[in-house]
Amino acid sequence: MNTVQPGTPPSDDDATEILDTPDSGPDPGRVSHALGRLVLAATPMGQIDDASPRLRAALQTADIVAAEDTRRARSLAAALDVEIGGRLVSYYDQVEAARTPGLVSAIAEGQTVLLITDAGMPSVSDPGYRVVVACADAGLPVTALPGPSAVTTALAVSALPSERFCFEGFAPRKPGARAAWLRELVAQPRTAVFFESPHRLADTLVAAAEILGPDRRAAVCREMTKTYEEVRRGPLAELAEWAADGVRGEITVVIAGAVAAEPDVDDLADRAEELVAGGMRLKDACAEVTQGSGASRRDVYQQVLERRRADPG
C-alpha cells in the first residue's frame, strides 16, 4: 500500500537510473532472456521475512528493476542480503506515463522487467496499471510473484464476511466526494475494503457512521505485520470515537456490507395489483415485482389470490 500523496514523488537519487524513452536500449553487459516479460512482485508490508524466495531471485536476475522508490528498493535488497543485478529505475505515479514506453520497449527486446512498489502488490492503488495495460496491448507476457497484500490481509483479520468483497482504493479526500462515495455503499451487500490516511481517518469514520449507520460493523487495521500492529473491530460510531484522539501508521478499513431486508410480501402484492390494474397478467406482474427482491413469485401470487377471495368485491 502506498500512502505517498500526489505531488510528493519519491526521491530519484541516481541520474543513471532514468529510463527516458522507448529508444533506451538494453545494457550490453546484461544477458537478456529470449522472451522478455513484465514481472509484478509483491513486497513486504513490514516484516522482511514475508519476502518470498522468488522475490529475492528476481531482484538479482531481472534486467531492469522498476521501483516506486529507488532508495527503498536498495534498502529492500540490502535487508534481503541480495544485490540488484540489473538496471534500477524509478517508476512512481508522476512518471508512469513517461517511463512506460521505455519499459515496454525493453520487454519487447527480450528483457525481463521486475516491477516493485514500496509495499504490497503493484497496481493495487500503486503504480503498475499503465505498464500492465501497455504490455497486454502489445501482446507481451505479464506475470506476478504473489505475496503480501494489505487488502486481503485486512479482510482476513477483520472478522467480517469475506466470501464477497469490493476494494475501493483510497477514500475521497473532500467531504462532498466522500459523502457521495459512502452513499454508494449504503446498499452494497459486499464487504468493502479501502485505504485511508491516518489524519483523515476520524472524519471518514464519522461520515461513515452518519451515512451507513452507527451500528454498521467495521474494522480498522493499522500497521499490519509491523511492530505496532493493531486491529480495532466494532460499530462505526465506536470506531469513530476511538479515532478522534488521533491514529498513526498505515491504515486499511474494512466495512461490513448491507444486510438485505426481508422482502415484504404484502408490499409486493400491492405493487403486483397495480401492474394488473394497468393491464398486465397476474403471473407476469408477480414475476416483475419479485425480480431481484429474493421473494417468491408463488408467495406473492398466493397473497393476491387470498386477498381477492377475502374481498371479492
Side-chain angles (χ1 to χ4, degrees), residues 1 3 119 196 221-224 226 248-252:
M1 178 177 67
T3 56
E196 183 54 288
C221 305
R222 186 179 73 86
E223 292 291 272
M224 288 183 296
K226 300 178 184 178
R248 294 182 179 181
E250 293 195 339
I251 305 293
T252 305

Side-chain angles (χ1 to χ4, degrees), residues 19-82:
L19 186 68
D20 288 321
T21 69
D23 296 325
S24 299
D27 183 346
R30 296 291 298 164
V31 177
S32 296
H33 299 285
L35 181 63
R37 61 177 180 162
L38 173 66
V39 181
L40 309 174
T43 54
M45 294 184 293
Q47 296 293 329
I48 196 64
D49 289 341
D50 289 341
S52 71
R54 295 177 68 196
L55 173 61
R56 288 180 167 88
L59 286 168
Q60 293 175 295
T61 60
D63 298 290
I64 298 172
V65 176
E68 183 177 9
D69 187 325
T70 55
R71 293 173 303 182
R72 291 200 182 195
R74 290 192 184 95
S75 297
L76 173 64
L80 294 174
D81 196 25
V82 300

Side-chain angles (χ1 to χ4, degrees), residues 125-173:
S125 280
D126 273 338
Y129 174 74
R130 286 179 184 268
V131 69
V132 171
V133 171
C135 285
D137 289 345
L140 298 172
V142 178
T143 189
L145 305 184
S149 167
V151 177
T152 52
T153 301
L155 185 66
V157 302
S158 69
L160 295 172
S162 57
E163 314 84 54
R164 302 172 68 206
F165 71 94
C166 57
F167 173 56
E168 296 288 328
F170 276 90
R173 294 183 181 188

Side-chain angles (χ1 to χ4, degrees), residues 49-50 57 65 67 151 184 207 217 224 231 250 266-267 302-303:
D49 289 341
D50 289 341
V65 176
V151 177
E184 293 178 358
R217 302 292 298 179
M224 288 183 296
V231 179
E250 293 195 339
D266 279 332
D267 288 344
Q302 291 298 324
Q303 180 72 359

Side-chain angles (χ1 to χ4, degrees), residues 71-110:
R71 293 173 303 182
R72 291 200 182 195
R74 290 192 184 95
S75 297
L76 173 64
L80 294 174
D81 196 25
V82 300
E83 290 188 5
I84 295 175
R87 183 165 33 152
L88 178 62
V89 302
S90 60
Y91 192 78
Y92 51 93
D93 290 338
Q94 288 79 5
V95 302
E96 269 193 280
R99 299 280 167 88
T100 292
L103 296 179
V104 173
S105 178
I107 295 167
E109 291 171 0

